[in-house]
Amino acid sequence: MLIETLSVFPEMFEPVMSTSILGRARQAGIFDFRAYDLRDWTHDRHRTVDDEPYGGGQGMLMKAPPIYEAVRSIASSGPRPHVVFFTPCGAPFTQAAAERLAMQERLLFVCGRYEGIDERAYDLADERISIGDYVLTGGELAAMVVTDAVVRLLPGALGDAMSSVDESFATGDSGGLLEYAQYTRPAEFEGAAVPDVLLSGDHAKVDAWRRENAIDRTCRWRPDLISSARLTDSERALAEELIARYHGPSQQNA
């Protein structure tokens, strides 16, 4: 996979893309990364990428022409990239979206700045993504978040192929639940002991405990996920009971 970013601050990316799992995956050739400077597609001596908005208002807007020229230039070599713009208007980023993006051969993330982007530039987007209902100073951090979520799903990136399967929100065997609670040594710490079943060596009982614990944690902390989780009839009945216990009967059908 090739992941590319278009930004006015391309230097922000290298420390992240060369560290930890991303760095190892990149070094192993699991993915390649390129950061482009939008100013390289400007034609004035000040390398201007922004201007005042028509109709007045606060701040400056990123201009459409440099973005158009840059995206077309980048896309002209190699397979056509899947172009993603980060914007509050975008679809909320989820694990399912990460899994879908991980199937792409080439991704190009366009990172906004200032007060936003000229609306006409969005015609280049294959999709728009928002990573949350809050405001950042630019799309670079959003691109890093999405890159991390996508790369760790690529074969070989985590070493153990099952590492990403049982995680919170994964749409595979876990069925969209939060991940079960996990423990490591010591077996007892400040009066809190590891559940006996995890020390039993009985893998079937461990699996059953983890499944029930994942349902319990999801009902307690993220009951909104239960409606779309893949549960058996008995598990859904358990979930309804747990939600009523944690949040009251009014939350069962929320």
Side-chain angles (χ1 to χ4, degrees), residues 75-124:
S76 65
S77 60
R80 182 186 180 281
H82 184 76
V83 181
V84 176
F85 279 64
F86 295 105
T87 166
C89 299
F93 184 62
T94 63
Q95 187 66 20
E99 292 172 3
R100 175 173 50 76
L101 291 176
M103 301 299 292
Q104 295 288 337
E105 182 178 2
R106 185 182 182 189
L107 295 170
L108 173 58
F109 297 139
V110 180
C111 307
R113 275 270 161 177
Y114 315 120
E115 285 300 307
I117 298 174
D118 186 309
E119 188 67 23
R120 293 167 291 186
Y122 288 107
D123 290 342
L124 295 165

Side-chain angles (χ1 to χ4, degrees), residues 43-229:
H43 303 284
D44 65 296
R45 66 174 184 168
H46 299 295
R47 307 180 77 200
T48 305
V49 296
D50 60 334
D51 208 336
E52 297 176 351
Y54 282 120
Q58 299 295 318
M60 305 287 279
L61 282 181
M62 294 183 70
K63 296 159 60 74
I67 297 175
Y68 259 83
E69 186 173 339
V71 171
R72 286 171 172 169
S73 174
I74 294 167
S76 65
S77 60
R80 182 186 180 281
H82 184 76
V83 181
V84 176
F85 279 64
F86 295 105
T87 166
C89 299
F93 184 62
T94 63
Q95 187 66 20
E99 292 172 3
R100 175 173 50 76
L101 291 176
M103 301 299 292
Q104 295 288 337
E105 182 178 2
R106 185 182 182 189
L107 295 170
L108 173 58
F109 297 139
V110 180
C111 307
R113 275 270 161 177
Y114 315 120
E115 285 300 307
I117 298 174
D118 186 309
E119 188 67 23
R120 293 167 291 186
Y122 288 107
D123 290 342
L124 295 165
D126 291 307
E127 67 176 297
R128 309 182 191 195
I129 287 177
S130 168
I131 65 166
D133 295 341
Y134 48 86
V135 179
L136 298 173
T137 55
E140 292 85 2
L141 292 175
M144 295 176 197
V145 167
V146 174
T147 297
D148 187 279
V150 168
V151 168
R152 64 198 317 281
L153 295 174
L154 300 179
L158 296 182
D160 181 354
M162 296 302 293
S163 293
S164 63
V165 172
D166 290 331
E167 292 181 318
S168 297
F169 313 114
T171 60
D173 293 341
S174 68
L177 299 169
L178 295 182
E179 191 174 11
Y180 48 79
Q182 300 193 70
Y183 303 84
T184 188
R185 295 179 179 85
E188 185 171 338
F189 178 68
E190 295 196 356
V194 174
D196 290 338
V197 65
L198 299 181
L199 307 175
S200 69
D202 188 323
H203 296 298
K205 289 183 178 179
V206 169
D207 288 344
W209 180 89
R210 285 176 169 172
R211 179 66 176 177
E212 185 171 331
N213 184 258
I215 295 171
D216 185 287
R217 285 161 61 86
T218 305
C219 290
R220 183 172 186 177
W221 303 115
R222 288 294 305 275
D224 56 296
L225 298 175
I226 289 296
S227 62
S228 59

